[in-house]
Amino acid sequence: MLADYFVNRPVFKDPVFRTRYRMSLNLFKRISTDLCQYDRYFVQRSDATDKVGLLPEQKMTAALRMLAYAEYLRAPTTADLRRLLAKAERRGFPGMIGSIDCMHWQWKNCPTGWAGEYSGRKHIPTIILEAVASYDTWIWHAFFGMPGACNDLNILAKSPLFDELTAGRAPLIQFQVNNRAHSLGYYLADGIYPRWTTFLKTVRNPTRPKEIEFAKTQEGYRKDVERCFGILQSQFGIVRGAARGWHKEDLRYIMLTCIILHNMIVENERPEDSDDELESDDEEDNNMRPRIAEVWEGPTGRDFDPVGRDAHHMNGFMDRYQQIRSEHSHSNLQEDLIQHFWEFQGNMSI
């Protein structure tokens, strides 16, 4: 690392350093100097056996990597949700915050004793990644490590995807379509996922014109996450090929590192004015199509608890748990969005 970036004549010049560290070398050195003066942890020291410890550059690099985990591998904030919801409305799906699916990564060096558990229908050991991606292929949720013999429902049962929402700590999303109010954002999903309020599935064997148009568009937008998997594999050959590691935890670090780098690339290549375009169109367009979905800071517990109990109370927890898994609400959401999208397509064609 020192030879690559921190000697007088490094292997990689400033542009490469900026790409990796998201800052200039001069700024990095200034921060490192200030940290060493503020906290002796960052100063290189010897232990009781006179073994020399890590350099300040190494410790700061490790700290920046941990910060990258927080920034580039996290759930969307309120500001993020507003941007995602604005884009979803422009696509005709108010309340949508991404699409969800799973990807299998072949495990070449899977221990023999685990081969049966990790082998799916293709009889090849794999490890599964569950991911939620938005329209720009940014990965907002990554749950990695489930055996390849599991299906998407098994993974969902173990996934922390809705933990914050069930606990009442997620931002509150509300939107109204077809004159009916809804209080949960949703993900586009394929047929194997359950009929929950938080999933919007396609129409099986559509017959009416509005159902046909809805199904075609839903299936197209749902491929955002599949497109994300393709980009991830094309960018990083280690994910495209079979995993050669022996330890599952090492493979988890590799996968999450690739996802973080992928998100950094997405952010770097995103046009600077893209958010502004999503937040505000021209005045005439805003008057014709007012904002349908709104989002506020949590807690969500107050919205779900009809008798006003504390969000952390068990009854409130169960109210939210059942609300998320309501098949009736799923049917209402699907019906409302089919009608809304049909009218949306008609308005767009005028």
Side-chain angles (χ1 to χ4, degrees), residues 15-54:
V16 179
F17 184 93
R18 182 182 292 273
T19 300
R20 179 180 179 186
Y21 285 90
R22 316 296 294 176
M23 65 180 72
S24 67
L25 178 59
N26 290 333
L27 178 58
F28 182 95
K29 290 181 176 179
R30 190 177 73 188
I31 296 174
S32 178
T33 301
D34 292 342
L35 282 175
C36 291
Q37 294 175 354
Y38 178 79
D39 191 342
R40 285 186 54 80
Y41 165 79
F42 289 94
V43 178
Q44 187 181 37
R45 292 177 294 173
S46 301
D47 60 16
T49 63
D50 288 335
K51 182 178 179 180
V52 179
L54 297 176

Side-chain angles (χ1 to χ4, degrees), residues 35 42 58-68:
L35 282 175
F42 289 94
Q58 293 171 306
K59 294 180 179 180
M60 185 170 166
T61 298
L64 289 174
R65 285 191 62 186
M66 288 188 286
L67 289 175

Side-chain angles (χ1 to χ4, degrees), residues 243-300:
R244 298 179 180 275
W246 294 95
H247 303 288
K248 188 172 69 172
E249 190 64 18
D250 292 341
L251 301 182
R252 179 177 177 272
Y253 285 133
I254 292 172
M255 178 61 74
L256 294 183
T257 299
C258 291
I259 290 174
I260 290 171
L261 292 173
H262 165 80
N263 284 348
M264 294 178 72
I265 293 171
V266 171
E267 180 191 60
N268 186 62
E269 296 181 353
R270 181 187 299 156
E272 293 182 0
D273 58 348
S274 61
D275 292 353
D276 297 333
E277 291 177 356
L278 293 178
E279 289 294 335
S280 61
D281 287 319
D282 57 71
E283 183 177 353
E284 181 180 357
D285 189 63
N286 280 331
N287 292 333
M288 291 176 58
R289 293 188 287 122
R291 182 64 54 83
I292 297 175
E294 297 292 343
V295 57
W296 296 273
E297 290 285 354
T300 52

Side-chain angles (χ1 to χ4, degrees), residues 179-291:
N179 296 320
R180 183 159 27 207
H182 299 270
S183 55
L184 284 176
Y186 58 87
Y187 303 112
L188 301 184
D190 60 18
I192 193 174
Y193 282 87
R195 294 175 59 83
W196 290 1
T197 314
T198 47
F199 295 128
L200 179 65
K201 302 165 62 171
T202 188
V203 178
R204 182 176 295 181
N205 300 322
T207 55
R208 297 181 298 170
K210 62 175 63 177
E211 293 177 344
I212 294 173
E213 286 298 316
F214 172 84
K216 180 175 64 176
T217 308
Q218 190 273 354
E219 292 167 9
Y221 289 163
R222 185 183 61 79
K223 294 186 182 299
D224 286 344
V225 65
E226 297 181 9
R227 182 163 54 94
C228 175
F229 291 150
I231 294 174
L232 193 67
Q233 292 174 326
S234 66
Q235 286 177 331
F236 305 103
I238 194 171
V239 177
R240 182 172 61 251
R244 298 179 180 275
W246 294 95
H247 303 288
K248 188 172 69 172
E249 190 64 18
D250 292 341
L251 301 182
R252 179 177 177 272
Y253 285 133
I254 292 172
M255 178 61 74
L256 294 183
T257 299
C258 291
I259 290 174
I260 290 171
L261 292 173
H262 165 80
N263 284 348
M264 294 178 72
I265 293 171
V266 171
E267 180 191 60
N268 186 62
E269 296 181 353
R270 181 187 299 156
E272 293 182 0
D273 58 348
S274 61
D275 292 353
D276 297 333
E277 291 177 356
L278 293 178
E279 289 294 335
S280 61
D281 287 319
D282 57 71
E283 183 177 353
E284 181 180 357
D285 189 63
N286 280 331
N287 292 333
M288 291 176 58
R289 293 188 287 122
R291 182 64 54 83

Side-chain angles (χ1 to χ4, degrees), residues 99-103 129-131 152 190 193 222 225-226 229:
S99 53
I100 183 171
D101 206 350
C102 293
M103 181 187 82
L129 167 69
E130 178 193 70
D152 294 5
D190 60 18
Y193 282 87
R222 185 183 61 79
V225 65
E226 297 181 9
F229 291 150

